[in-house]
Amino acid sequence: MSMEHIRKDDEIDLAQLFNTLWKGKWIVITWSVVAVFIMLCYVLLRTPLYKVEAVISHSQTSSLIPIQPSILNTTEVHAVPKLDKKVVYNSVLLQLSSINILREFWSGYFQLESQDDDKHFRSFVKSLSVESVNPKGEEPQSRKVAANFANPKEGTDVLNSYLAFINKRIQNQVVEEMTRSFKASLVTIDNSISLLEANGQKTLSYDLIKLKENYEIAKSLKITATPYKDLENIGLTILDERDYLLGTDALSLQIATLSAREGKSLRAYNAKINDLFLARNIVASDISRLSEFGDELAMFKIENRAESSIDPIGAGKVLLLISGLIVGLLMGCLHVMLLNLIRQHGK
C-alpha cells in the first residue's frame, strides 16, 4: 500500500469524523451548555476560601530568662538544667498539628455545639499545614503555619488565637516540668544535708570519746598543761596518738567546745553543708518565682502574624467556565461517537 493511499484514507476518515460530529452538533452543543451551566452554578454557589498564613521561628534565648533556673555559683550539685530553645521549639512544632490539641483549642474558642461547628472544625484541621519556609536549607528554623477560611478576618483572628493558645500551653508545661525538677532537686539537697549532718555528728561523737579518754589519762598522770620543756629533746613522732600530753586544761576546753556542737547544725563548721544550704535557698527561691509567674512569655517567635490572602484560593471564575466548556465539548463528542458506533453495528 502506497503512502499516497494511506494519506487518502486518513483524509477520508477525518472528513467522515467531522461529518459525524457535525450531524450530532446539537448533542455536542447540549452537553456544552449543560456543563457550562453546572460550572456556572458551582461558581455562583461555592463559598470562596482565603488562605491565612503566619510565620514562626524558635524563641530568642533572652526571652526565656524569666523562667530560667538561677545559676548555682556555690555548688554544681543538683542543679536544674537550663531551658534549650530548640527543645522548646520542637515541642511547639509537635503540638501545632495535634488533633487533640486542635480540638481543645476549638472547643474553648467556638464552644462546639452543633454539626456546623464540627464541620468547620474538620475543615480547619484538614486545611491546617505547617511547612518549612526554606525546605532546601540544612536546618530550616522558620515555619509557615497556614489554614483556609471562608471569612478572612475571622481566619486571621482564629490563627493568631491558636498561636497564642499553643504558646500558653507550652509555657504552662515548661513551668510545671521545671517546678517538678526544682522540687526533686530540693528533696535531693535536703537528703544530702541530712546525710552530711548525720556523718558530722558521728565524727563529733567519736572525737569527744577520744578527747574524754585522753582527758582521763592526762588527769591520772597529773598533766594539766603541755610539758613543753620535758618534751623539748624528744622526737615529735613520740607525740603521735598521745593527745593526753596536751594536758587537762587544753583537753577540757576542746571537750567543752565540741559538746556545744552536739545536736546542732554543723553548717558553720562544714563548707559542703554550707554550700548545700545556699543551693537550697536558691532552688526554693526559683520555686517561689515560678509559682507566682503569670506573664505571657514568648516560647516561640512570631516572625509574621497571621495575614489573609487578597484573592480567594483555587481556580478563577473564567478558568472554571472554560474548563466546563471543554468538558462539555468532550462529553458531547464522545456521546455522538458512541451513537454512531451503535448505528454501524446495528446495520
Side-chain angles (χ1 to χ4, degrees):
M1 184 180 294
S2 65
M3 293 298 296
E4 184 179 350
H5 183 67
I6 293 175
R7 290 195 192 97
K8 187 175 180 181
D9 288 343
D10 289 342
E11 290 175 1
I12 293 173
D13 291 340
L14 290 174
Q16 185 179 357
L17 176 61
F18 180 77
N19 186 45
T20 301
L21 293 175
W22 179 253
K23 290 180 179 178
K25 59 182 178 294
W26 291 111
I27 295 177
V28 176
I29 292 173
T30 301
W31 270 103
S32 300
V33 171
V34 170
V36 170
F37 178 75
I38 293 173
M39 191 59 69
L40 181 61
C41 291
Y42 169 74
V43 168
L44 295 176
L45 297 177
R46 72 167 178 167
T47 301
L49 294 177
Y50 296 83
K51 190 170 188 177
V52 180
E53 295 180 346
V55 178
I56 65 172
S57 62
H58 61 65
S59 179
Q60 300 299 314
T61 303
S62 57
S63 300
L64 300 177
I65 289 177
I67 58 175
Q68 287 283 20
S70 302
I71 299 175
L72 303 181
N73 292 322
T74 56
T75 179
E76 296 180 359
V77 181
H78 316 301
V80 176
K82 286 188 171 293
L83 290 175
D84 187 337
K85 62 182 182 181
K86 292 184 178 180
V87 174
V88 174
Y89 189 52
N90 287 335
S91 298
V92 172
L93 297 180
L94 287 174
Q95 295 193 28
L96 270 175
S97 302
S98 170
I99 298 296
N100 292 332
I101 295 175
L102 284 166
R103 186 173 290 278
E104 179 184 342
F105 160 74
W106 200 267
S107 299
Y109 191 84
F110 284 103
Q111 301 295 329
L112 289 175
E113 296 177 354
S114 65
Q115 292 183 351
D116 289 339
D117 292 333
D118 187 65
K119 181 181 178 182
H120 293 156
F121 168 71
R122 290 176 179 274
S123 176
F124 171 63
V125 172
K126 289 180 179 179
S127 66
L128 183 68
S129 63
V130 181
E131 301 175 350
S132 173
V133 174
N134 182 22
K136 295 182 179 180
E138 294 182 0
E139 189 180 355
Q141 298 176 350
S142 298
R143 295 292 192 279
K144 181 168 62 178
V145 184
N148 300 333
F149 295 90
N151 186 328
K153 184 181 183 306
E154 180 186 41
T156 55
D157 293 340
V158 169
L159 196 56
N160 283 325
S161 298
Y162 182 56
L163 294 178
F165 170 80
I166 291 292
N167 183 77
K168 189 64 177 178
R169 197 175 195 278
I170 296 292
Q171 177 185 305
N172 291 339
Q173 289 178 347
V174 169
V175 170
E176 289 176 5
E177 183 177 347
M178 290 186 65
T179 301
R180 287 194 296 268
S181 297
F182 280 130
K183 290 182 177 179
S185 177
L186 202 61
V187 171
T188 308
I189 291 175
D190 287 340
N191 291 338
S192 297
I193 290 175
S194 298
L195 182 61
L196 287 175
E197 291 277 14
N199 289 337
Q201 289 294 334
K202 286 182 180 180
T203 302
L204 181 64
S205 177
Y206 175 73
D207 291 341
L208 276 172
I209 293 174
K210 287 184 62 179
L211 286 171
K212 289 177 180 179
E213 289 178 350
N214 285 309
Y215 177 83
E216 294 299 326
I217 295 173
K219 184 178 179 181
S220 65
L221 295 176
K222 298 181 180 181
I223 302 174
T224 57
T226 306
Y228 290 107
K229 292 182 179 180
D230 298 337
L231 299 173
E232 185 176 357
N233 298 320
I234 299 176
L236 294 178
T237 54
I238 296 179
L239 300 178
D240 293 346
E241 303 299 329
R242 296 186 183 185
D243 291 338
Y244 60 85
L245 293 175
L246 292 172
T248 55
D249 291 345
L251 290 171
S252 62
L253 182 60
Q254 290 189 31
I255 291 172
T257 301
L258 294 184
S259 297
R261 299 179 188 176
E262 279 190 303
K264 300 178 181 178
S265 175
L266 300 177
R267 176 180 178 181
Y269 313 102
N270 189 309
K272 289 185 177 179
I273 295 178
N274 185 60
D275 287 345
L276 285 172
F277 268 104
L278 292 176
R280 190 188 191 285
N281 291 339
I282 293 174
V283 173
S285 175
D286 283 341
I287 293 175
S288 176
R289 173 166 53 87
L290 286 178
S291 65
E292 298 173 357
F293 182 80
D295 296 333
E296 286 292 336
L297 189 68
M299 306 306 293
F300 57 91
K301 183 180 179 181
I302 298 180
E303 301 284 354
N304 289 325
R305 289 178 60 81
E307 296 179 350
S308 172
S309 59
I310 298 176
D311 299 319
I313 61 175
K317 297 179 180 179
V318 176
L319 183 59
L320 289 174
L321 292 175
I322 293 175
S323 301
L325 178 61
I326 293 173
V327 171
L329 289 171
L330 292 175
M331 293 299 295
C333 291
L334 182 61
H335 191 171
V336 172
M337 296 300 295
L338 286 174
L339 289 176
N340 184 60
L341 186 63
I342 293 171
R343 292 194 194 98
Q344 288 181 354
H345 282 285
K347 291 181 179 180

